[in-house]
Amino acid sequence: MLQLKIIDIEFSVCKVEDYSGINLNQEYVFTGSTDEEKSLVCPVSLVPDNTTEREDGWRAFRIEGVLDFSLIGILAKISTCLAESGIGIFAISTFNTDYILTKTENFERALKALTKSGYTIK
């Protein structure tokens, strides 16, 4: 079973006017830009002034190791486990791995559900 590493930071999920107010070289800064919005996920302490909407109170863990693109169902298994426990997620994928965020009030319950399902928490 996969190992999950807790990221000991509180995150904010934001909508921003642009990315000029954030240092993109900081750790744990995730951006997404579409034809409709610019999104930012970052530590609460880094939320920029040009944020138009935000939701604080997210905690995260990542799947340890580099995940090969041919691997199937990793995120689906985690999200199913948490959904069965009534826990919503916000998932972010990078080239190497996936990060799963839950609301802070659900985080410990999420870790217990994942441990019960065989995941190792670091």
Side-chain angles (χ1 to χ4, degrees):
M1 195 56 77
L2 294 171
Q3 290 191 343
L4 308 174
K5 180 174 188 220
I6 295 171
I7 309 299
D8 198 21
I9 297 171
E10 183 181 349
F11 287 90
S12 184
V13 178
C14 308
K15 209 186 250 192
V16 294
E17 294 173 9
D18 59 47
Y19 301 118
S20 64
I22 189 84
N23 178 350
L24 297 176
N25 291 314
Q26 291 279 347
E27 290 182 346
Y28 305 113
V29 172
F30 305 93
T31 62
S33 183
T34 70
D35 61 332
E36 296 182 342
E37 67 178 300
K38 290 183 178 14
S39 294
L40 170 69
V41 177
C42 66
V44 170
S45 62
L46 298 178
V47 172
D49 292 336
N50 66 351
T51 297
T52 58
E53 293 180 49
R54 72 189 270 180
E55 186 170 323
D56 297 337
W58 293 88
R59 294 284 313 276
F61 58 86
R62 76 168 161 235
I63 301 169
E64 284 290 271
V66 176
L67 303 179
D68 187 273
F69 287 115
S70 65
L71 297 174
I72 298 170
I74 292 172
L75 192 55
K77 288 177 185 171
I78 291 172
S79 63
T80 298
C81 171
L82 296 178
E84 289 172 350
S85 295
I87 300 169
I89 68 165
F90 187 100
I92 301 170
S93 295
T94 65
F95 191 88
N96 284 343
T97 194
D98 295 316
Y99 291 78
I100 295 87
L101 289 79
T102 70
K103 292 299 285 184
T104 299
E105 60 266 20
N106 296 323
F107 193 69
E108 291 302 322
R109 201 162 48 94
L111 296 178
K112 286 178 185 171
L114 291 163
T115 300
K116 187 176 178 181
S117 292
Y119 291 92
T120 302
I121 311 293
K122 290 174 55 177

